[in-house]
Structures are given as C-alpha cells and as structure tokens.
Amino acid sequence: MASSSLKQFLVLYLMPEKCYEKLLVNFDFHAPCLVFVLRKIFSFWIMLDALFAQLSQLLKVLWTGSAEGLSLTAALLQLYAFSCPVVYGVASNFPVIAWGERLFVVCQTALMVFLILHFRGRSLSGLLLLSVFSGSMFLLGSFATTEVLSALQASTSAAIVLSKAAQVAANHTIGHTAHLSTTSVLLTWMASLGEAFISMQDSGVSLTTLTFTVSACLSCVLLAQVLSSSPKLKGD
C-alpha cells in the first residue's frame, strides 16, 4: 500500500510512469528521465525561492529588530529586479496570475528596503525613496514604449547578479553575515542552481546561461559565507 501511494505521488508530481519504471524499478538511470526529474525538482525549488526566500529574510529582520549586515544596495537592486516583471506584465495586459506572485515579492522587498533604512535611523528617507520608486515604476508601466519595457525585463537577471555581488562584498567587509537569513540564502542557492541547469538545457551556451551561472556561483559564495559565520550571528 505504501509503495503504491509513493508511486502515485511520484508519477503525479515528479515523473511520468515510464521514468518511474526505468529509475526506481529497473534501476536504469536513463539520462532523459534523470534530466526530466532534475528539472521538476529545480522548478519546485525556484517556486519555493520566489515565495519564501524574501519572506524568510523579512521575518528574521522583524524578529531580531535589526538589519545589520544587509546591503541596502543589494536590496534596492532586488527591488528593481522584482519590479520589472510586474511593470512589464501590467503594461502588456497579462493576466494577474502571470505577475501576481512577483507583486507579492515586490511588496516584501520594498518593506525590506524600508526596514534597512529604518534601523539606520532614516525612516523618512525610506518612505521618500519608496514613494519615488513606486511613482517611477507606475510611470514606466503607463507610458514606456515596448522597447523600454523589453529592456527593463531583460535587465532583471543582471540586477540579481549585481545584488548578490553587493551582498557578498558587504559580508566580506564586516567579516560575518550578521542577520542574513540562512534559510533565505539556502533557498536562493538551490533556485539559482536550478535556473542555471534549466537554462543550459534550453539555451545551451548562451549569454543567459552565463548570467545564471554567475548568479549560481555568487549564491554558492553567499552560502559559504553564511555557513562559515558565527552560529551566534547566523541563527534563524
């Protein structure tokens, strides 16, 4: 009974039945089936990263009452990167389901930017900054040309890479990861590996794959920094 339930679960969510038979019954590590399963697993982690990575970091900052160690530059670049797909989706009249998830992340990231400035004693600057940013995104979504919107959309991956580089540099400068969330970094690490793997499968050696690979490498550095930091500082 348990074996049958496991099979039903795996076939429903992870692999077709023929791959189940090859991999788990015949122990034939069929390359296309392995690739299919890895894509499914990585897609799952990418979804988890989108839903919970930023939320985990936000909750840690609220719980500890401090944003020590978090790079404002990194947070602003993330805010830009997460906002661009929302602006593009709204301007292109895509259904809410296509960009609603990103809007949820944008709100979390905007709150993170505010909290970083708030805990530095610059709450008013945080409010003004977010007001200007929100106004700019609204104007772009309302009046920007298709070419500008496409350029914004294309720049999101580069912004994510730069945000990770900024956080890596901040960690190196202060010598520890302070209140950087281990859970958040772990989720992003797995998701970035998945993005690089899927891009390699879909696009081969390309600029997009190179960007995702660099992003994955920076995620590895961030994870190493978090794991090597003092347990007293990194505890979630």
Side-chain angles (χ1 to χ4, degrees):
M1 180 67 72
S3 176
S4 177
S5 298
L6 177 61
K7 178 182 178 179
Q8 289 178 0
F9 175 83
L10 292 176
V11 170
L12 181 61
Y13 295 107
L14 194 59
M15 65 185 77
E17 187 166 0
K18 64 178 182 180
C19 285
Y20 177 88
E21 296 293 333
K22 285 181 178 292
L23 296 175
L24 300 179
V25 176
N26 301 324
F27 299 104
D28 175 12
F29 298 109
H30 187 56
C33 283
L34 287 174
V35 170
F36 183 90
V37 171
L38 283 174
R39 285 180 69 104
K40 279 284 191 176
I41 293 173
F42 280 134
S43 296
F44 173 74
W45 276 102
I46 290 170
M47 180 186 69
L48 285 181
D49 176 62
L51 292 175
F52 298 115
Q54 200 67 17
L55 180 61
S56 174
Q57 182 62 71
L58 181 60
L59 290 175
K60 182 168 185 179
V61 168
L62 291 171
W63 179 260
T64 59
S66 172
E68 180 188 1
L70 272 66
S71 167
L72 178 61
T73 300
L76 287 171
L77 285 166
Q78 286 180 341
L79 181 60
Y80 168 81
F82 297 146
S83 298
C84 287
V86 176
V87 172
Y88 184 84
V90 172
S92 302
N93 293 317
F94 291 162
V96 175
I97 194 173
W99 49 266
E101 172 190 295
R102 281 296 177 186
L103 181 60
F104 177 63
V105 179
V106 167
C107 293
Q108 295 175 42
T109 310
L111 180 55
M112 181 64 65
V113 169
F114 172 76
L115 289 174
I116 291 174
L117 289 169
H118 170 70
F119 288 124
R120 295 179 183 180
R122 299 164 58 190
S123 300
L124 181 58
S125 296
L127 290 174
L128 291 174
L129 177 62
L130 292 178
S131 296
V132 171
F133 182 84
S134 300
S136 300
M137 290 296 105
F138 175 79
L139 291 174
L140 284 170
S142 302
F143 303 108
T145 62
T146 302
E147 290 76 14
V148 171
L149 291 171
S150 297
L152 289 174
Q153 179 77 341
S155 68
T156 56
S157 295
I160 289 294
V161 169
L162 291 174
S163 74
K164 292 180 181 180
Q167 187 61 59
V168 166
N171 295 340
H172 179 73
T173 299
I174 65 176
H176 56 76
T177 56
H179 295 299
L180 191 63
S181 168
T182 306
T183 303
S184 176
V185 172
L186 182 61
L187 286 171
T188 301
W189 171 67
M190 284 295 296
S192 63
L193 291 178
E195 289 170 338
F197 176 81
I198 292 173
S199 180
M200 177 63 73
Q201 294 296 315
D202 292 343
S203 306
V205 179
S206 63
L207 179 60
T208 300
T209 301
L210 177 61
T211 303
F212 283 134
T213 302
V214 173
S215 178
C217 290
L218 288 170
S219 290
C220 290
V221 175
L222 279 172
L223 182 62
Q225 288 178 327
V226 168
L227 294 178
S228 63
S229 186
S230 167
K232 181 176 66 176
L233 290 170
K234 69 175 181 164
D236 281 5

